[in-house]
Amino acid sequence: MDQELLRNVPIFAELTEADLEVLGRLATRRRYPKDGVVFFENEEGSSFFMIVDGRIKVTILGDDGREIILSVLSGGDFFGEMALLDNEPRSATAIAVEDSELLCLNRADFQSVVSANPRVMQALIKVLTNRLRKANHQISTLALLDVYGRVARVILEMAREDGRRLKDGAIAFRRATHQEIANRIGTTRETVTRMLKDLQRQGLIAVEGREIVLRPDFEKSFD
Ligand code: CMP
C-alpha cells in the first residue's frame, strides 16, 4: 500500500518496484491534525517526510514573533531533508494547515536510498534548485516591490501553484486567509484586506464563493 503512495512522490518515481517495496516497508505513516506541529525550527532533525495527503506550511518566526511563511507544501512534496543533508538543526518549523497524512523515513534509511540511487539524488537536487529559484524570486519581491506589488505577486504565485485556469485565461484558486497572505510577505492582515478590496474595485480580481478569480489583466499587470 505505501509502495503505491511512494510511487506518487516524484523524487521516487524512477525507483524499481523492488526498491519501492523495500522503501514502503521502511517508511512509517503519521497523521497530524490541523495546526499540528511536525517539528520546530532549531530542533535536531532525524526524519525525512513526504506528504501523502493534506498541506504543510514551512514557517520561520521573526524576532518580533511574527510568522513568515516560506512555503506551503502539498501531496507528493517532501520536507525535512535539509537537516539530514547538512547535519544542522531544522531550518524552519513545519505545521499542518489541514488534517494531513505523512510518510516518514529515518535518517539512515533516507541517506541510504539517496546514496544508492543516483536518479533519486538528481530528482532531489532538481527540487532543491527549484526551491532556491523560488526563494530568489521571493527575495526580489520583498526587496523591490512596495506592499501593494507584494500582495499582488504573492496571490499570483498562490494561484499558479494551486489554481485552475478558466477558459477566458483567468485563474481561480482556493481563497487563502488574509492572515496567511500577510504572513507570506511580512505585512499585516489589515493591509492585505485593504489591498484586496482595492484590486477588487479595479476589477482585477473577483471573490466568488470560496475562490478568488484573477482576471487575465491581473496577470499582465503583475507578472
Ligand atoms: P529542514 O531544515 O530539515 O527542516 C525544515 C524544512 O523546511 C527544510 O528541511 C526543508 O525541507 C523545508 N524548507 C526550508 N526552507 C524552504 C523553502 N524556502 N521552501 C520550501 N521548503 C523549505
Side-chain angles (χ1 to χ4, degrees):
M1 175 67 175
D2 287 349
Q3 192 177 333
E4 281 303 310
L5 296 172
L6 284 165
R7 203 195 313 279
N8 294 327
V9 179
I11 58 163
F12 297 131
E14 301 279 347
L15 286 179
T16 62
E17 287 300 310
D19 284 342
L20 279 175
E21 202 188 319
V22 174
L23 204 57
R25 277 199 298 266
L26 297 173
T28 53
R29 280 194 200 216
R30 292 199 200 163
R31 284 176 184 280
Y32 291 85
K34 179 176 180 328
D35 298 327
V37 175
V38 184
F39 54 70
F40 286 104
E41 181 181 355
N42 289 326
E43 272 177 16
E44 202 180 308
S46 56
S47 306
F48 169 81
F49 296 90
M50 295 151 278
I51 305 176
V52 175
D53 199 26
R55 289 191 305 148
I56 300 289
K57 68 176 173 182
V58 175
T59 70
I60 47 180
L61 275 191
D63 287 342
D64 56 359
R66 263 196 298 167
E67 177 187 65
I68 300 160
I69 300 179
L70 296 177
S71 187
V72 180
L73 305 171
S74 56
D77 289 332
F78 64 81
F79 62 95
E81 76 295 342
M82 287 171 61
L84 306 190
L85 292 170
D86 66 5
N87 289 316
E88 296 283 333
R90 294 293 190 196
S91 61
T93 298
I95 301 176
V97 185
E98 52 194 53
D99 291 352
S100 298
E101 188 170 2
L102 308 179
L103 279 179
C104 168
L105 275 183
N106 72 31
R107 173 187 289 267
D109 293 335
F110 169 72
Q111 282 167 345
S112 73
V113 70
V114 172
S115 47
N117 296 282
R119 293 203 166 178
V120 173
M121 174 83 87
Q122 277 165 10
L124 182 66
I125 291 173
K126 194 166 172 196
V127 174
L128 298 186
T129 304
N130 188 263
R131 285 185 187 166
L132 186 55
R133 274 184 199 277
K134 280 195 183 154
N136 288 352
H137 193 69
Q138 226 170 351
I139 292 170
S140 77
T141 298
L142 294 176
L144 301 175
L145 297 180
D146 60 14
V147 70
Y148 190 81
R150 286 190 229 164
V151 171
R153 182 75 80 81
V154 80
I155 61 174
L156 182 56
E157 277 165 15
M158 288 172 149
R160 283 182 173 157
E161 276 167 22
D162 260 357
R164 57 198 171 83
R165 185 71 69 170
L166 307 181
K167 278 205 190 86
D168 63 355
I171 322 177
F173 72 107
R174 182 169 36 167
R175 197 142 45 108
T177 66
H178 294 184
Q179 188 67 57
E180 185 184 337
I181 296 172
N183 289 357
R184 287 216 190 195
I185 52 173
T187 187
T188 61
R189 184 171 52 79
E190 291 76 12
T191 304
V192 171
T193 303
R194 210 163 0 100
M195 303 284 152
L196 290 179
K197 280 215 181 100
D198 195 56
L199 288 165
Q200 240 174 306
R201 240 192 329 265
Q202 292 183 59
L204 290 170
I205 67 170
V207 177
E208 293 179 4
R210 304 189 68 182
E211 291 188 316
I212 296 181
V213 178
L214 305 189
R215 299 278 168 226
D217 278 350
F218 182 97
E219 219 170 351
K220 284 188 208 129
S221 311
F222 296 107
D223 201 4

